[in-house]
């Protein structure tokens, strides 16, 4: 579908349950729609996967601009606010007058901006990486806050080099990754190792085939540079805390880049309906733990 002049690829799965909730799920980097493939069936057809009819969702899974089979932007301006508006247009053109949105990583950014902009029809959101960095500190941080802040400081100092490169020199790293399939694989595989709940053995959680599916989607579509450009568009500007006043649900996974705290969420989200800390999983929640992710979404959206 062409949205604001750009061809956007998406997967659309309609539930057999008439009262299913429309839900748009947005991936991040270095992810793709591949992350969600194992949650499509249980979310759309819950009665066949341990759920109830009222747990059903109609699913829309778009590929971000410059990612996967979506077109590559040829102009600046395709940051999170514009993508958020495009996703709202997508849902309207699919005839969903009321719907929900979910995301982690860049998907959390898009979803947050959909809520910030009060796009037409959006009823509520779920995030598995709430944008609470820098955290909304009030007074002297307590011990729990200090521990989470330390995680953020450590990530900024030792784990964010990829983001600095992609936000300042996306074309340069793009040439290198496009030239070498091994380089492209290493650039993404490192994140699977670092950001999954796997003790640096992501194959235990994701398997080699699934990881290669995701990596190959970047390689075959030649999107190393175009995907990195989203960092140049939004990483230092739009990917930041926003006060939201529509229903917000949060699931925190233990191996996430840092541990967001409920007290921070309550300061930013005036209608926080759900907050839970999952037993297992990391940054790629749906990819790593599809059963837990599915359960979290069922519980979260039941509160809205």
């Amino acid at each position: 579908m062409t949205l604001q002049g750009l061809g956007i690829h998406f997967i659309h799965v309609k539930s057999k349950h008439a009262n299913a909730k429309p839900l748009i799920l947005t991936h991040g980097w270095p992810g793709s729609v591949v992350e969600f493939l194992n949650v499509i069936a249980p979310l759309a057809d819950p009665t066949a996967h341990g759920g109830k009819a009222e747990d059903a969702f109609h699913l829309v899974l778009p590929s971000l601009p410059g990612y996967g089979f979506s077109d590559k932007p040829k102009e600046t301006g395709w940051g999170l606010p514009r993508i958020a508006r495009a996703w709202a247009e997508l849902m309207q053109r699919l005839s969903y007058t009321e719907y929900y949105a979910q995301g982690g990583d860049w998907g959390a950014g898009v979803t947050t901006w959909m809520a910030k902009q009060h796009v037409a029809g959006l009823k509520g959101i779920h995030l598995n990486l709430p944008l609470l960095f820098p955290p909304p500190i009030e007074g002297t941080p307590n011990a729990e806050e200090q521990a989470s802040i330390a995680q953020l400081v450590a990530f900024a100092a030792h784990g964010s080099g990829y983001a600095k490169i992609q936000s300042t020199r996306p074309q340069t790293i793009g040439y290198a990754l496009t030239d070498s399939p091994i380089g492209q694989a290493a650039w993404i595989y490192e994140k699977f190792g670092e950001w999954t709940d796997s003790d640096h053995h992501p194959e235990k959680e994701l398997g080699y085939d699934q990881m290669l599916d995701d990596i190959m989607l970047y390689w075959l579509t030649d999107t190393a540079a175009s995907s990195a450009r989203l960092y140049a568009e939004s990483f230092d500007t739009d990917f930041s805390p926003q006060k939201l006043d529509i229903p917000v649900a949060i699931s925190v996974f233990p191996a996430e880049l840092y541990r967001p705290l409920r007290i921070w969420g309550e300061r930013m989200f005036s209608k926080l309906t759900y907050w839970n800390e999952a037993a297992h999983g990391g940054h790629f929640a749906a990819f790593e733990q599809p059963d837990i992710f599915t359960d979290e979404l069922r519980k979260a959206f039941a509160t809205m």
Side-chain angles (χ1 to χ4, degrees):
M1 182 181 292
T2 299
L3 299 170
Q4 301 182 26
L6 202 69
I8 297 296
H9 161 266
F10 63 94
I11 298 171
H12 186 198
V13 178
K14 297 208 71 172
S15 174
K16 67 181 182 181
H17 298 285
N19 294 324
K21 299 180 180 75
L23 175 64
I24 183 167
L25 299 102
T26 308
H27 67 86
W29 183 93
S32 64
V33 292
V34 169
E35 292 181 67
F36 297 122
L37 295 182
N38 290 333
V39 302
I40 290 175
L43 289 174
D45 189 10
T47 55
H49 297 84
K52 304 173 184 176
E54 53 264 35
D55 296 325
F57 296 91
H58 300 306
L59 301 175
V60 179
L61 293 76
S63 294
L64 288 165
Y67 287 69
F69 297 111
S70 287
D71 285 351
K72 304 174 178 68
K74 296 180 180 178
E75 60 183 8
T76 59
W78 273 99
L80 296 180
R82 185 172 181 180
I83 298 171
R85 293 191 297 271
W87 275 199
E89 181 183 346
L90 170 61
M91 295 302 279
Q92 290 172 352
R93 290 172 62 180
L94 291 174
S95 299
Y96 293 126
T97 56
E98 293 185 343
Y99 60 92
Y100 298 85
Q102 195 283 330
D105 196 86
W106 281 124
V110 173
T111 303
T112 295
W113 275 95
M114 293 176 76
K116 179 73 172 179
Q117 295 169 342
H118 290 277
V119 296
L122 184 64
K123 300 285 288 181
I125 68 170
H126 175 274
L127 307 172
N128 57 281
L129 178 64
L131 305 189
L132 297 173
F133 41 86
I137 298 298
E138 295 180 2
T140 302
N142 61 32
E144 190 176 35
E145 288 180 301
Q146 290 175 10
S148 288
I149 292 169
Q151 289 180 312
L152 286 167
V153 171
F155 178 77
H158 306 293
S160 64
Y162 75 98
K164 191 66 175 177
I165 292 170
Q166 296 194 154
S167 61
T168 59
R169 294 293 184 271
Q171 291 299 115
T172 305
I173 189 62
Y175 282 117
L177 299 180
T178 300
D179 186 60
S180 170
I182 295 175
Q184 177 69 92
W187 192 246
I188 293 177
Y189 177 82
E190 181 206 26
K191 302 312 174 197
F192 287 148
E194 290 280 337
W195 297 352
T196 55
D197 192 6
S198 66
D199 193 28
H200 296 274
H201 294 285
E203 64 278 2
K204 294 191 302 184
E205 299 296 337
L206 299 174
Y208 289 112
D209 286 347
Q210 288 195 130
M211 287 189 289
L212 284 171
D213 286 344
D214 184 70
I215 291 167
M216 286 296 288
L217 193 54
Y218 281 81
W219 174 252
L220 293 175
T221 57
D222 193 23
T223 49
S226 57
S227 61
R229 282 199 292 271
L230 183 51
Y231 284 79
E233 292 280 0
S234 279
F235 190 71
D236 292 327
T237 52
D238 311 316
F239 199 59
S240 58
Q242 307 292 330
K243 287 196 172 184
L244 305 178
D245 58 3
I246 74 167
V248 175
I250 304 293
S251 297
V252 178
F253 287 79
E256 186 52 274
L257 306 183
Y258 82 111
R259 182 184 171 217
L261 301 179
R262 181 171 188 140
I263 189 173
W264 297 345
E266 290 172 344
R267 291 169 183 166
M268 298 299 293
F269 312 137
S270 64
K271 296 181 180 178
L272 184 64
T273 66
Y274 180 87
W275 186 288
N276 188 51
E277 298 198 11
H280 305 287
H283 187 70
F284 307 94
F287 208 16
E288 295 176 60
Q289 297 292 339
D291 292 341
I292 294 176
F293 181 84
T294 297
D295 188 56
E296 284 296 298
L297 264 59
R298 290 174 178 172
K299 291 176 179 177
F301 287 116
T303 66
M304 300 180 190

